[in-house]
Amino acid sequence: MSENIERIKCLIIGSGPAGYTAAIYAARADMHPVIYTGMEPGGQLTTTTEVDNFPGYPNGVDGPTMMVHLQQQAERFGTQVRIGMITAVELSNELGGLHKATVDNSKQIEAETVIISTGATAKYLGLPSEQKLRGGGVSACAVCDGFFYKGQEVAIVGGGDTAAEEATYLANICKKVTMLVRGDSMRASKAMQHRVTSTTNIDLRYNTEVDEVLGEQVVEGLRMLNNETGEKEEIEITGLFIAIGHKPNTDIFKGQIDMDDMGYIITKGKSTKTNKPGVFASGDVQDKEYRQAVTAAGTGCMAALDAERYLSSIEKEVTA
Ligand code: NDP
């Protein structure tokens, strides 16, 4: 049985900007990283059309192309990119201990270091009309896609800090932002609520839900439902932003890694270190605030540097 177990220096789980950047750095440091792509190779960016805010692309780039570039750059230095899901882990508590991972419920791997870059998944409402128009005007990231609706009328769903922040961001670019909050109050901090209510081109609607997103190929409007009165109202919009929260992809690490109450992995101070020696976290899986490709890439770089330093410190201890 044990001859089936592959032993590696660095296992990277997840193939978004964080995972690939970690791979570029780890490969250049001779850590021979192996990256497992997960169910959505390339991560959330592969569902985005145009990426205009990643430095180095003066004319923008579409999300899938950018992820291919990142993959090729990681492979250029010897990263092994493998299609597959890590379905279970057994993380060691020992300094220098080996971490076990199962691939697709079968193959076993032992890794000296693990970089978790499994990302987070944006929540959607689940309406068929919303799903049909994802990429056709329905987005879960105002900072990524808001620019395309410059001077136009849009709507945003949600009443938390993300929705409040994105509504004010959109209000700066767009002509009008209709904000739908399903309850009779917002969950966002008082300061953020104040920013929303004092922005004149945000039309804040409490007790309001999406009944249907209108349009065939692209968003043309929204039918709203007032859940108190049962009244329905249609408005014309070209973009709909869903800001009802994200779910970090951390289910397989539950009970093994310290997480906050929302399931985001807790990293130590300004590092990417988790509570397990040799296990690091980068990207959206440990960041609920910034969630940008470039910030994810930055923490991917940090995770590889932290992993490299960890391995050197273990080697020093062994040779001392
Ligand atoms: P939250 O979980 O805080 O808020 C989600 C919002 O979406 C709530 O208003 C919720 O309504 C609403 N909602 C959920 N499901 C639905 C649905 N099916 N239909 C309509 N509305 C729905 O998520 P956020 O992403 O806003 O924030 C996550 C965390 O990140 C929070 O801790 C937040 O404080 C933090 N954050 C901090 C920032 C900062 O400090 N600058 C910026 C962004 C986020 P209801 O209230 O009725 O449940």
Side-chain angles (χ1 to χ4, degrees):
M1 191 62 189
S2 65
E3 60 268 24
N4 293 330
I5 299 177
E6 182 184 11
R7 184 163 166 186
I8 59 175
K9 262 193 172 169
C10 179
L11 169 66
I12 300 173
I13 313 176
S15 56
Y20 279 132
T21 307
I24 293 166
Y25 275 77
R28 283 167 56 87
D30 280 343
M31 288 162 68
H32 311 290
V34 174
I35 184 165
Y36 275 91
T37 59
M39 290 274 274
E40 191 179 60
Q44 290 181 76
L45 271 185
T46 52
T47 59
T48 306
T49 44
E50 197 73 8
V51 180
D52 271 342
N53 53 8
F54 199 90
Y57 288 103
N59 301 315
V61 59
D62 66 279
T65 303
M66 191 177 117
M67 296 320 300
V68 170
H69 288 167
L70 281 169
Q71 177 177 344
Q72 287 170 341
Q73 195 173 352
E75 285 175 330
R76 184 176 142 214
F77 300 109
T79 302
Q80 285 191 47
V81 179
R82 298 181 186 168
I83 310 278
M85 282 288 283
I86 299 296
T87 45
V89 291
E90 211 178 296
L91 302 174
S92 170
N93 291 311
E94 309 281 320
L95 200 66
L98 286 174
H99 306 288
K100 296 180 180 153
T102 308
V103 184
D104 293 328
N105 294 310
S106 56
K107 182 181 159 70
Q108 300 289 313
I109 287 186
E110 286 181 349
E112 290 171 50
T113 60
V114 177
I115 296 176
I116 304 172
S117 322
T118 46
T121 307
K123 292 184 194 162
Y124 282 87
L125 301 167
L127 296 170
S129 58
E130 170 210 47
Q131 293 304 310
K132 184 179 78 183
L133 291 166
R134 271 177 67 178
V138 173
S139 162
C141 180
V143 179
C144 319
D145 298 328
F147 182 78
F148 303 116
Y149 304 95
K150 204 172 179 177
Q152 301 172 33
E153 300 199 4
V154 299
I156 185 162
V157 185
D161 279 319
T162 302
E165 206 166 73
E166 296 201 338
T168 47
Y169 176 85
L170 290 167
N172 270 327
I173 311 171
C174 302
K175 193 167 151 198
K176 182 180 171 191
V177 181
T178 304
M179 183 169 182
L180 284 69
V181 178
R182 68 177 171 184
D184 59 7
S185 62
M186 286 171 72
R187 194 190 289 210
S189 64
K190 288 281 175 257
M192 283 311 299
Q193 289 192 37
H194 180 69
R195 276 181 66 186
V196 168
T197 51
S198 55
T199 304
T200 49
N201 61 338
I202 297 179
D203 178 7
L204 179 58
R205 308 285 191 103
Y206 288 111
N207 296 112
T208 304
E209 295 173 27
V210 175
D211 190 52
E212 194 175 343
V213 191
L214 307 173
E216 279 309 312
Q217 307 294 328
V218 293
V219 173
E220 290 167 11
L222 190 67
R223 188 162 60 240
M224 304 185 292
L225 167 74
N226 184 312
N227 57 26
E228 261 193 337
T229 62
E231 258 173 58
K232 291 185 182 178
E233 181 188 339
E234 286 186 10
I235 55 169
E236 283 183 14
I237 53 162
T238 49
L240 175 66
F241 293 87
I242 310 294
I244 61 172
H246 284 72
K247 183 185 181 301
N249 301 321
T250 51
D251 287 353
I252 58 165
F253 308 106
K254 284 215 167 98
Q256 300 202 49
I257 286 258
D258 285 350
M259 296 176 193
D260 68 13
D261 53 4
M262 291 172 70
Y264 286 89
I265 294 177
I266 297 172
T267 49
K268 292 185 185 170
K270 288 184 179 170
S271 79
T272 62
K273 293 176 191 163
T274 69
N275 61 313
K276 292 279 161 105
V279 181
F280 308 89
S282 61
D284 288 10
V285 75
Q286 52 84 57
D287 170 23
K288 62 182 173 225
E289 208 177 314
Y290 299 103
R291 289 197 288 249
Q292 298 302 300
V294 66
T295 51
T299 56
C301 156
M302 289 162 63
L305 294 178
D306 286 340
E308 186 193 352
R309 284 171 195 160
Y310 167 81
L311 286 176
S312 324
S313 71
I314 302 283
E315 272 160 30
K316 269 189 207 135
E317 221 157 87
V318 171
T319 49

